[in-house]
Amino acid sequence: MCGIVGILGKGPVAGDLIEALKRLEYRGYDSAGVATLENGRIVRVRASGKLKNLEEKLATEKLSGAAGIGHTRWATHGKPTESNAHPHASDKVVVVHNGIIENFRELREELQGRGHRFASETDSEVVAHLVSDGLKAGATPQDAVAATLKRLKGAFALAFLFEGENDLLIGARRGSPLAVGWGEEGVYLGSDALALAPFANSIAYLDEGDWVVLRRESSEFHNADDAIVERRRQPLQAGSFLVEKGNFRHFMAKEIFEQPEVIGRTLAHYLDLAEGVVRLPFDFSFDPARLSRVTISACGTAFYAGLVARYWLERFARLSVDIDIASEFRYRDPPLPDDGLMIVVSQSGETADTLAALRYAKQHNQHTLAIVNVDTSTIARESDIVARTLAGPEIGVASTKAFTCQLAVFACLALALGRARGVLTREQERELVAELIATPGQMAEELNREAQIEPVARDVARATSSLYLGRGPSFPLAMEGALKLKELSYIHAEGYAAGELKHGPIALIDYAMPVIVLAPPDASLEKTVSNLQEVAARGGHLILIGPPSARTAAAAELAGYVEVAENVSGPFAALVYAAPVQLLAYHVAVFMGKDVDQPRNLAKSVTVE
Ligand code: G6P
């Protein structure tokens, strides 16, 4: 992961480097650093910890160079110390890197054999040394970079500056994303469009294997074979990239409360609201009637969205669905059937494992469809069909609105496939669409009841371990709830199918461990209530999230109760139940004083395996 940025500006660029890095901090926040050319000389300022530490340092160690690069790190090789912070330098070159150089050990030994001394434990530093070797042998910066790229194995996005070269910035990409931006005040490199949005009015993405030579008045793209190529330059609308907290304390809270709006917007993109039917903004590149199977792969929260969707695709489209986390999927070497559809799900569209799962599916002749939030991302560009979530930029590292928008897209897709396959009648489609259209309003109502969550959150905050239980689509939502709680509050949490309780986890039940039961009024409510009673009978610490009827049916002593309206029922209830589940994790973390938007050790865009 990590975020990288580079600028050739008209005046001092350190301030803009920091501004861009702030927008990339979601990619990692273990350490940060910048380098600029001060009268042609490379000067670096680096700091461990969050970007604000670097900002504080820059207040005294002022930089005035008009060419600079910057980095925010998610540590892979070497602790997040200042000496491991990027940029890394060697003689006349300085570099920032996102990704992993897999053959760095061999390269380092080889370079050490030639007298190079290393100042960090990172894999990235070898890149600077290889380039400086080339420069010493008389190569131009371009040739030295081109030769270095050929020696690297692994995934990377790189940005280089060179001593004495005030008008030269070189970028390279293999596996990790990189974009070039052009603006009034200069030319830019960045890990994503979000970083460049305040400065650039047009943007172009490097293709896999590309490298680019930037000067203030020219830009030259090369492909992996070093041939000069053209890359499409497109306008960049800054307005679509507003990243402000507004009146909220945290981005996560803002993003939770944005959900009624962005789910509504996403649904409007896939439904004909006037007619009350599904109308996809794309044509299927295959015949839905002939589909033999759907395979879904994703990571983290996006994977849980896929798990919820499995219920919908099976029920409404009568499709059999195989689903696996992306880091496991391709290593199973699964056989994939003719006329199979692969759906990958990713907020960022850059998650390395999900991308690899997509590529595996393509190699095995699957039709491919990507549900992504960033439509310029690599996953979007490599899929046959792109189904966008219209969530807008999600800054909180723990995913919230992207998750519910993924569910909204999946729901529409399941209904469209159900219709196209002759499983659903027009009438059934209309009924289901009506239920779906009701979800943003229902979610808004549930968010209005935020106050009831706080006492429950204070209670959960005392725990060291917890269980979430659910059945049907509430089972993956239970897993998502547990993930939210552990990533935000560092309280251990597991999500379980309520029916599995008696096959092991029931041994854990005592009053110290909250058991959070998700009980929407659906066909499995009675059974969920039985499981709840099993917990009560063992003196468990029960918290119920459900309608008053579930509370009455439970007839058990509850340590906490989060009421959800009775009419949040039916197949799409999980979409609305996501709200109390997210709010609970959020308030536990706030109450415990945790860093809600940037939990420890995490990063939002995971571009390493
Ligand atoms: C990271 C994030 C999660 C996210 C997962 C998948 O682990 O912290 O919030 O769900 O990556 O990311 P993607 O961008 O592919 O949805």
Side-chain angles (χ1 to χ4, degrees):
M1 9 269 206
C2 308
I4 67 172
V5 60
I7 307 179
L8 292 178
K10 292 183 179 159
V13 294
D16 286 352
L17 287 172
I18 294 292
E19 218 28 64
L21 288 177
K22 278 185 188 161
R23 292 165 158 255
L24 290 173
E25 215 180 359
Y26 72 87
R27 300 175 73 90
Y29 32 80
D30 290 335
S31 66
V34 292
T36 53
L37 292 181
E38 304 291 315
N39 300 318
R41 277 191 44 249
I42 295 166
V43 177
R44 291 183 290 167
V45 179
R46 302 176 296 166
S48 64
K50 297 220 166 142
L51 197 54
K52 64 174 177 359
N53 299 352
L54 176 66
E55 262 187 296
E56 279 163 21
K57 261 183 123 175
L58 282 169
T60 47
E61 298 174 42
K62 291 206 187 323
L63 294 175
S64 60
I69 54 178
H71 188 270
T72 177
R73 179 167 187 244
W74 185 81
T76 59
H77 294 74
K79 293 205 172 69
T81 55
E82 186 176 327
S83 57
N84 286 332
H86 297 222
H88 291 290
S90 169
D91 261 353
K92 296 181 180 323
V93 61
V94 63
V95 65
V96 284
H97 168 221
N98 161 214
I100 290 181
I101 308 298
E102 284 166 4
N103 56 337
F104 84 101
R105 280 195 187 82
E106 299 144 54
L107 292 171
R108 189 161 61 187
E109 274 168 28
E110 176 194 318
L111 287 156
Q112 280 167 333
R114 289 209 296 274
H116 285 262
R117 306 245 313 251
F118 283 77
S120 79
E121 304 157 298
T122 65
D123 54 330
S124 315
E125 196 184 345
V126 296
V127 180
H129 287 268
L130 281 172
V131 173
S132 78
D133 240 18
L135 294 173
K136 265 187 227 142
T140 61
Q142 292 90 311
D143 290 346
V145 168
T148 296
L149 297 178
K150 294 192 175 51
R151 308 245 14 232
L152 304 179
K153 293 203 178 111
F156 50 77
L158 298 161
F160 299 91
L161 281 184
F162 303 86
E163 195 149 303
E165 297 276 357
N166 267 311
D167 192 26
L168 179 64
L169 173 64
I170 299 185
R173 141 178 209 176
R174 192 193 298 158
S176 302
L178 191 62
V180 176
W182 294 268
E184 298 294 317
E185 296 300 316
V187 55
Y188 304 82
L189 273 176
S191 296
D192 68 16
L194 192 63
L196 304 184
F199 317 108
N201 42 39
S202 63
I203 190 167
Y205 290 90
L206 274 73
D207 272 0
E208 189 58 12
D210 279 1
W211 55 284
V212 65
V213 180
L214 297 175
R215 299 184 190 278
R216 287 179 182 78
E217 299 301 329
S218 71
S219 27
E220 193 176 82
F221 287 79
H222 298 254
N223 65 14
D225 300 323
D226 302 334
I228 294 178
V229 286
E230 290 293 321
R231 295 294 172 230
R232 193 165 69 89
R233 191 161 155 175
Q234 43 193 300
L236 180 66
Q237 275 144 18
S240 58
F241 288 104
L242 278 180
V243 282
E244 304 293 336
K245 271 188 258 192
N247 291 328
F248 290 94
R249 238 172 109 187
H250 302 102
F251 277 110
M252 185 181 177
K254 172 177 168 267
E255 289 160 5
I256 288 174
F257 279 86
E258 262 172 18
Q259 288 179 110
E261 189 193 329
V262 294
I263 295 168
R265 198 189 304 159
T266 301
L267 288 175
H269 196 62
Y270 292 89
L271 301 176
D272 181 333
L273 295 175
E275 289 290 313
V277 294
V278 183
R279 183 141 302 138
L280 299 183
F282 50 77
D283 291 325
F284 288 123
S285 52
F286 49 83
D287 176 0
R290 285 177 55 101
L291 273 189
S292 55
R293 195 172 79 193
V294 171
T295 308
I296 302 176
S297 201
C299 299
T301 293
F303 171 66
Y304 295 137
L307 279 177
V308 172
R310 175 167 60 177
Y311 292 86
W312 298 336
L313 288 162
E314 287 176 348
R315 181 164 159 194
F316 302 135
R318 300 309 295 153
L319 277 160
S320 53
V321 178
D322 177 34
I323 174 161
D324 203 354
I325 39 180
S327 54
E328 287 295 319
F329 174 71
R330 68 190 182 286
Y331 296 115
R332 281 164 43 201
D333 197 13
L336 297 175
D338 289 345
D339 290 312
L341 169 65
M342 174 69 164
I343 304 181
V344 289
V345 194
S346 175
Q347 188 282 128
S348 62
E350 300 294 349
T351 301
D353 283 314
T354 310
L355 178 60
L358 170 67
R359 289 179 178 161
Y360 179 93
K362 289 181 86 168
Q363 279 160 13
H364 291 76
N365 297 321
Q366 300 297 286
H367 308 293
T368 56
L369 185 152
I371 299 180
V372 288
N373 198 36
V374 181
D375 58 352
T376 49
S377 59
T378 312
I379 289 177
R381 279 183 282 145
E382 293 194 14
S383 298
D384 299 338
I385 301 176
V386 180
R388 291 170 60 203
T389 47
L390 280 73
E394 190 182 60
I395 306 299
V397 166
S399 184
T400 53
K401 62 175 180 169
F403 172 68
T404 45
C405 286
Q406 286 158 359
L407 291 181
V409 173
F410 261 130
C412 296
L413 202 58
L415 299 186
L417 286 169
R419 268 297 285 163
R421 289 165 60 78
V423 181
L424 296 177
T425 62
R426 195 50 121 183
E427 204 37 51
Q428 287 169 319
E429 178 193 4
R430 281 187 206 281
E431 280 169 24
L432 289 162
V433 166
E435 291 196 38
L436 211 43
I437 292 176
T439 56
Q442 292 172 338
M443 163 103 48
E445 277 174 36
E446 297 314 321
L447 292 170
N448 274 338
R449 303 189 209 220
E450 186 186 16
Q452 62 168 343
I453 309 258
E454 284 170 25
V456 180
R458 274 199 291 279
D459 174 37
V460 173
R462 282 194 290 269
T464 51
S465 187
S466 61
L467 265 187
Y468 281 71
L469 301 179
R471 281 178 181 261
S474 298
F475 163 39
L477 186 63
M479 291 197 270
E480 167 61 5
L483 177 66
K484 288 280 93 75
L485 187 71
K486 69 186 137 197
E487 66 185 337
L488 292 173
S489 68
Y490 321 142
I491 294 174
H492 175 249
E494 293 298 330
Y496 254 91
E500 272 291 294
L501 178 73
K502 53 183 127 357
H503 298 295
I506 200 162
L508 296 172
I509 304 277
D510 64 16
Y511 202 73
M513 183 180 71
V515 179
I516 298 149
V517 183
L518 310 180
D522 57 20
S524 57
L525 178 62
E526 249 177 62
K527 292 201 167 56
T528 308
V529 166
S530 303
N531 301 132
L532 183 152
Q533 274 150 354
E534 289 156 14
V535 177
R538 286 158 182 84
H541 190 111
L542 270 170
I543 294 166
L544 174 66
I545 303 183
S549 62
R551 184 179 196 177
T552 311
E557 197 178 318
L558 300 177
Y561 175 52
V562 177
E563 183 180 325
V564 181
E566 202 73 51
N567 67 349
V568 182
S569 58
F572 307 120
L575 209 162
V576 181
Y577 270 68
V581 164
Q582 294 162 347
L583 281 175
L584 178 59
Y586 171 77
H587 281 291
V588 173
V590 170
F591 184 70
M592 294 173 80
K594 302 296 186 206
D595 190 338
V596 175
D597 284 333
Q598 295 181 336
R600 72 182 179 203
N601 303 338
L602 295 179
K604 193 159 183 66
S605 182
V606 183
T607 52
V608 296
E609 280 189 39

